[in-house]
Amino acid sequence: MTILIDQPDFGVEAEEKKNEIDENELVLDGGFVVPEPKSSGGFFVPDTNAFGHTFRDYEADSERKDGVEEFYKTNHINQTYDFVKKMREEYGKLDRVEMSIWECCELLNEVVDESDPDLDEPQIEHLLQTAEAIRRDYPDEDWLHLTGLIHDLGKVVLLPSFGGLPQWAVVGDTYPVGCAFDPSIVHHKYFKENPDYYNPAYNTKYGVYSEGCGLDNVFMSFGHDDYMYLVAKENKTTLPSAGLFIIRYHSFYSLHRSEAYKHLMNEEDVENLKWLKIFNKYDLYSKSKVRIDVEKVKPYYLSLIDKYFPKKLKW
């Protein structure tokens, strides 16, 4: 297949650089351990990851801590409103390749997310773990099973055949650009080196947006979430709006953990956020050493792909 690549200007690069299960933990079928979550803003928010360690703890000492912080420094310096607009225009063309959803799943075998302090497994493992955990607890919501499988497929833009984008332009927490950076965003201090931080057009509460404008009208920091959202939407998926919402905002932690930026949401966003909070538990807590028999589950997911997507998609 022919793949056309235009390499964008990526901006400034920063320098390269089991606890025992207690009585408050829930065990999903298949061996997934999910700690009993604590209530936050009307929703339940878990505290520890699949290995029993504090979840998404960016301050805890670990082999990956310094690399993760350096990642966010580079990310926060370079993710400007103009950069996001440029990347959306370029990658929104979807003119690189035509392939199926499953073919894309297989491409992710070599991808490891450097921004994630909890996971160092190939992405295909995480996709299937997420989907299967959801399937066990929500057997009748097949669209949610499929969303679990495909939510990270946008990470293929890390691969050379898709342009080889740097990690900071693909993974990590996402957030709106074009308005003030909320203090709840991880490693917020590095935004002080982002030119938008001082631009009066972009550094106010609403910036270029208006109250209740709807998140679909908001530019998010560019990454795999937004790219996969564009792929699904432009290829006319029949997933419900909640599925598209999950795909685009599953890394928008300042919203679904800290409830920032709610002033930009419309009524549909409010309803879809309920599904995102359900999904988020499985996205986080299915990170596990439990292996999935790919060939055993593949026919089921192929049937869902046929139901909600065309056989070949433009990427």
Side-chain angles (χ1 to χ4, degrees), residues 263-302:
H263 55 283
L264 301 178
M265 297 171 63
N266 59 24
E267 292 183 4
E268 185 176 17
D269 294 331
V270 172
E271 290 303 309
N272 286 337
L273 181 58
K274 297 175 183 178
W275 280 109
L276 177 55
K277 285 178 177 287
I278 290 171
F279 172 84
N280 184 242
K281 177 178 70 173
Y282 296 95
D283 187 19
L284 309 180
Y285 290 98
S286 62
K287 294 172 181 178
S288 166
K289 295 300 183 183
V290 175
R291 304 303 295 270
I292 301 295
D293 186 335
V294 177
E295 293 307 311
K296 182 178 179 180
V297 301
K298 181 176 179 180
Y300 174 70
Y301 289 102
L302 288 178

Side-chain angles (χ1 to χ4, degrees), residues 220-284:
M220 299 294 295
S221 55
F222 189 77
H224 73 280
D225 314 61
D226 206 29
Y227 176 63
M228 188 59 205
Y229 166 78
L230 292 173
V231 169
K233 185 177 180 181
E234 296 304 315
N235 281 282
K236 311 299 182 184
T237 182
T238 56
L239 284 173
S241 64
L244 289 172
F245 189 91
I246 289 169
I247 290 169
R248 191 178 192 220
Y249 305 113
H250 68 271
S251 302
F252 190 4
Y253 287 99
S254 55
L255 170 66
H256 49 82
R257 284 185 66 84
S258 302
E259 300 193 340
Y261 299 105
K262 294 183 75 172
H263 55 283
L264 301 178
M265 297 171 63
N266 59 24
E267 292 183 4
E268 185 176 17
D269 294 331
V270 172
E271 290 303 309
N272 286 337
L273 181 58
K274 297 175 183 178
W275 280 109
L276 177 55
K277 285 178 177 287
I278 290 171
F279 172 84
N280 184 242
K281 177 178 70 173
Y282 296 95
D283 187 19
L284 309 180

Side-chain angles (χ1 to χ4, degrees), residues 16 37 51 124 278:
E16 291 183 0
F51 308 107
I124 188 65
I278 290 171

Side-chain angles (χ1 to χ4, degrees), residues 33 42 121 123 125 137 181-182 232 297:
V33 178
E121 298 294 328
Q123 293 299 308
E125 295 283 336
D137 282 8
F181 301 114
D182 191 84
V297 301

Side-chain angles (χ1 to χ4, degrees), residues 194-220:
N194 184 311
D196 288 0
Y197 187 86
Y198 303 97
N199 189 331
Y202 303 141
N203 66 5
T204 63
K205 178 178 180 179
Y206 292 99
V208 299
Y209 311 113
S210 59
E211 185 169 6
C213 64
L215 294 179
D216 193 45
N217 295 308
V218 172
F219 276 14
M220 299 294 295

Side-chain angles (χ1 to χ4, degrees), residues 66-83:
D66 291 343
V68 169
E69 182 166 352
E70 192 67 20
F71 161 87
Y72 275 109
K73 179 180 180 180
T74 311
N75 173 280
H76 292 353
I77 292 172
N78 289 288
Q79 289 274 1
T80 64
Y81 184 83
D82 288 342
F83 171 77

